[in-house]
Amino acid sequence: MAAKRDFYEVLGIDKNADEATIKKAYRKLAKKYHPDMNKGNPNAEKIFQEVTEAYEVLGDPKKRKLYDEYGPISLEAGFDPEKMKQAQYGNPFGNGGFYQSYSSGEPGNGYQEFHFDGSSDMDDILDKLFGKKGGFHGTGGFGGRSGFGSTGEFGSGFGGVHEERGQNIETEVPISFEEAVFGCDKRFTLSSSDGKSQNFEVHIPAGIANGQSVRLKGKGQKGYNGKDGDLLIKVKVGEKSGYERKGQDVYTTVKIPYTTAVLGGEIKIHTLYGDVVCKIKPGTQSGAKIRLKGKGVAAMNNPAVHGDEYAQVQIEVPTHLSQTAKEKLQEYARACS
């Protein structure tokens, strides 16, 4: 998989940029490369997705802090900053040359990945990991009560009882389109490999998007003399007929009578927050978009900020006309010819 571009570079901003600058840069680029403004241009759509991904991270103070500290690895599913800190500041293999990241699949089947950044000797690290002179298992290894062991080349080592944090568990919970927009409380049950079941309740914040996760701290796998892992709940958002979500904006259609499109008037447009009465200008064309400011989805990191709703006009052409109406239209057609 190709490495992602630096998110600050994607938005064209400095790493010390404040929230207002980040938001301004995103809006400018999103407007420029939005698919609706670049129909038939797959490259523009790709850039729009990249810009949106960058803003979802840099626009969220917590995600931005992790990204600034750990880089792209902080975006991986199951990333645990506590594990990273342990690996950075407590690993016996040298100055940050080696770290661990933890992920998981189905409950109870977690796995761990080991990454090497080149500042230590790979052969030495592999020896220590897989059985030579004090690896993870066996006398004097990580799991022993004497830390790195009371015998062998490590001498008395670190001493004390080793603490191992439990691995994270990831599961998926389906929610409706409305539940993602307004937030909700969900209850679900997980079963372990030994057949035991446990009930959980989690609050889904308003504005969450499909594929994003909510963390329940300490609800993952049990740790060894240390902290338990976390439970990561990934949401699968259902569809809503007539609505399409793109980031914080929603898109829908509105049908208006032929006469209203020609002469102008008022119509009702359905939104996620109830009906809104809008004025239609005379001569409105089919395909025109009506922007309803603030009628989109709330931002997870700032519920006071909402996206917009865009309603695309569809003109209803009458199929049954009275004789008088036909004569009037024929008269109009002659006047325009």
Side-chain angles (χ1 to χ4, degrees):
M1 182 181 295
K4 293 181 182 293
R5 277 206 301 153
D6 180 78
F7 284 163
Y8 290 97
E9 179 185 338
V10 171
L11 295 182
I13 56 175
D14 185 79
K15 290 193 175 182
N16 296 319
D18 58 19
E19 291 185 17
T21 301
I22 294 173
K23 186 174 182 179
K24 183 178 179 181
Y26 167 68
R27 284 187 174 274
K28 180 179 179 181
L29 292 171
K31 182 178 180 180
K32 180 178 180 180
Y33 293 106
H34 198 284
D36 287 348
M37 305 294 290
N38 298 271
K39 294 187 181 298
N41 185 349
N43 187 54
E45 183 175 356
K46 182 180 179 182
I47 295 175
F48 176 77
Q49 292 174 349
E50 186 179 39
V51 166
T52 300
E53 183 182 14
Y55 178 69
E56 287 178 351
V57 174
L58 299 185
D60 184 322
K62 291 182 179 179
K63 291 181 181 179
R64 181 184 180 185
K65 183 179 179 182
L66 290 175
Y67 181 78
D68 288 344
E69 188 170 355
Y70 300 109
I73 192 175
S74 65
L75 308 176
E76 294 181 4
F79 172 78
D80 191 328
E82 292 299 322
K83 281 288 184 184
M84 183 63 75
K85 287 179 181 178
Q86 292 175 16
Q88 285 179 326
Y89 304 113
N91 91 63
F93 297 138
N95 296 324
F98 176 79
Y99 63 87
Q100 300 168 319
S101 66
Y102 290 79
S103 183
S104 60
E106 294 299 323
N109 293 323
Y111 65 89
Q112 57 185 8
E113 299 175 347
F114 296 90
H115 302 264
F116 177 61
D117 68 7
S119 60
S120 299
D121 186 85
M122 177 59 83
D123 290 334
D124 290 343
I125 289 177
L126 293 176
D127 287 346
K128 292 166 186 173
L129 286 177
F130 299 111
K132 291 187 180 180
K133 298 181 179 179
F136 282 122
H137 303 285
T139 305
F142 261 116
R145 290 185 170 271
S146 58
F148 259 84
S150 57
T151 61
E153 69 179 66
F154 290 104
S156 58
F158 292 92
V161 178
H162 173 67
E163 293 186 354
E164 178 85 20
R165 178 174 176 142
Q167 294 185 22
N168 294 334
I169 294 175
E170 184 175 309
T171 189
E172 186 175 77
V173 172
I175 63 175
S176 68
F177 189 94
E178 289 86 351
E179 287 174 329
V181 171
F182 299 109
C184 64
D185 293 322
K186 296 293 287 186
R187 295 179 177 84
F188 60 96
T189 302
L190 291 181
S191 299
S192 61
S193 56
D194 59 5
K196 294 181 179 179
S197 298
Q198 186 173 357
N199 298 320
F200 295 92
E201 182 173 340
V202 61
H203 176 70
I204 306 296
I208 196 167
N210 186 53
Q212 290 186 312
S213 297
V214 177
R215 181 186 298 268
L216 289 182
K217 291 187 176 181
K219 299 299 183 180
Q221 292 187 0
K222 295 293 182 181
Y224 177 75
N225 289 330
K227 295 181 179 179
D228 296 339
D230 299 335
L231 176 59
L232 303 175
I233 302 109
K234 181 189 292 186
V235 299
K236 183 176 183 180
V237 182
E239 297 181 352
K240 179 177 176 65
S241 179
Y243 285 85
E244 181 182 4
R245 176 178 173 181
K246 295 180 181 179
Q248 290 176 239
D249 297 330
V250 293
Y251 293 79
T252 186
T253 57
V254 57
K255 295 182 178 180
I256 65 174
Y258 175 77
T259 51
T260 303
V262 174
L263 303 175
E266 292 185 343
I267 60 167
K268 284 185 179 180
I269 298 179
H270 300 305
T271 78
L272 298 169
Y273 309 93
D275 292 345
V276 174
V277 176
C278 293
K279 290 185 177 180
I280 300 297
K281 296 179 180 180
T284 295
Q285 301 296 307
S286 184
K289 284 188 174 66
I290 301 172
R291 179 189 179 193
L292 301 176
K293 192 173 181 180
K295 296 301 182 181
V297 182
M300 278 184 63
N301 60 323
N302 188 355
V305 176
H306 286 70
D308 302 326
E309 177 174 330
Y310 293 89
Q312 186 175 42
V313 171
Q314 290 183 353
I315 298 175
E316 292 182 301
V317 178
T319 56
H320 300 286
L321 294 174
S322 66
Q323 185 59 37
T324 302
K326 287 181 180 180
E327 291 173 356
K328 293 291 184 182
L329 281 175
Q330 288 169 353
E331 181 180 344
Y332 170 76
R334 287 193 295 270
C336 293
S337 61

